[in-house]
Amino acid sequence: MKKKALSFYCITLMLFCQILLCSCVAGALSENGANYIIDNCEQIKTQLKNVQHNDSRARVYIGGYYEKIISKYITPLNVRLTRNNISDELAQELMSNQVSFATAQTNFKDDFIEYQKSLEELINADCGNAQDFYNQLVTVREKRQTMVFDINKVSELTSKHIELVRQLRGRL
């Protein structure tokens, strides 16, 4: 339940930041958008700090979850398959999935660090130059989307692993 509430809160804040600058067109700010950024700079930064805090908490939770999956489920199964000299196509696919999962997990960690750095720079940026501030916001959004892609990739690999384990279970 906490996970859903945290996710909802993060999504709500992300949407707020996107709606906040809805008057922007194709990378250029309208005069109203620029004035809005300048006039509401502190409120915008407060919301960005909230997003940063919640994303950090979510990262700790998600990172721990991924670490648990690989260390308690994926790796021990593959070690057991190797010890029992099971090296058929399904076992090879499980091992390949482990490598892909570890790579996706590392990508998530690295992309999150890049995203957090960009978000920190945005929070410390001067709102006086609204166009530069907006350009930095666009960069942060793109890096956040990369993180979303990473999360989806790990989820896909987790689902694939579950399906492969079901196939292995059915065979044994």
Side-chain angles (χ1 to χ4, degrees):
M1 185 67 178
K2 287 182 182 179
K3 181 181 171 185
K4 288 182 181 178
L6 182 62
S7 296
F8 177 75
Y9 186 69
C10 289
I11 290 170
T12 303
L13 287 173
M14 183 178 67
L15 290 175
F16 171 77
C17 288
Q18 289 175 346
I19 292 170
L20 183 71
L21 299 172
C22 66
S23 61
C24 305
V25 179
L29 278 174
S30 68
E31 190 174 327
N32 289 339
N35 289 336
Y36 187 84
I37 290 174
I38 292 168
D39 294 343
N40 297 294
C41 183
E42 290 307 312
Q43 294 161 335
I44 293 169
K45 287 186 177 192
T46 299
Q47 290 299 319
L48 289 171
K49 286 176 187 176
N50 288 337
V51 168
Q52 181 183 41
H53 175 74
N54 290 321
D55 282 353
S56 293
R57 289 179 63 206
R59 178 0 193 139
V60 168
Y61 175 79
I62 292 170
Y65 181 69
Y66 292 165
E67 193 60 41
K68 184 177 181 180
I69 290 171
I70 199 161
S71 66
K72 294 195 179 243
Y73 300 107
I74 296 176
T75 302
L77 175 63
N78 288 338
V79 168
R80 183 113 184 208
L81 291 171
T82 302
R83 282 187 187 159
N84 292 326
N85 293 323
I86 300 173
S87 60
D88 62 358
E89 184 179 320
L90 188 57
Q92 293 299 321
E93 206 169 334
L94 281 163
M95 289 186 196
S96 174
N97 193 59
Q98 177 182 354
V99 171
S100 297
F101 188 95
T103 301
Q105 181 185 18
T106 301
N107 289 343
F108 169 73
K109 289 177 187 176
D110 294 343
D111 290 342
F112 184 83
I113 290 168
E114 287 298 313
Y115 161 72
Q116 281 292 72
K117 286 179 184 176
S118 294
L119 184 57
E120 187 66 32
E121 289 172 6
L122 179 62
I123 290 169
N124 293 326
D126 178 27
C127 295
N129 186 339
Q131 184 63 53
D132 286 347
F133 186 84
Y134 176 72
N135 291 341
Q136 284 182 298
L137 178 63
V138 169
T139 301
V140 169
R141 284 182 185 163
E142 290 168 354
K143 290 183 180 187
R144 196 168 208 278
Q145 281 305 112
T146 301
M147 265 187 7
V148 169
F149 173 79
D150 293 340
I151 290 169
N152 290 337
K153 181 67 176 173
V154 173
S155 295
E156 176 185 310
L157 291 168
T158 302
S159 296
K160 181 179 178 182
H161 183 77
I162 291 168
E163 182 57 37
L164 291 170
V165 169
R166 285 184 181 142
Q167 290 175 18
L168 181 65
R169 178 194 261 173
R171 217 181 56 194
L172 297 178

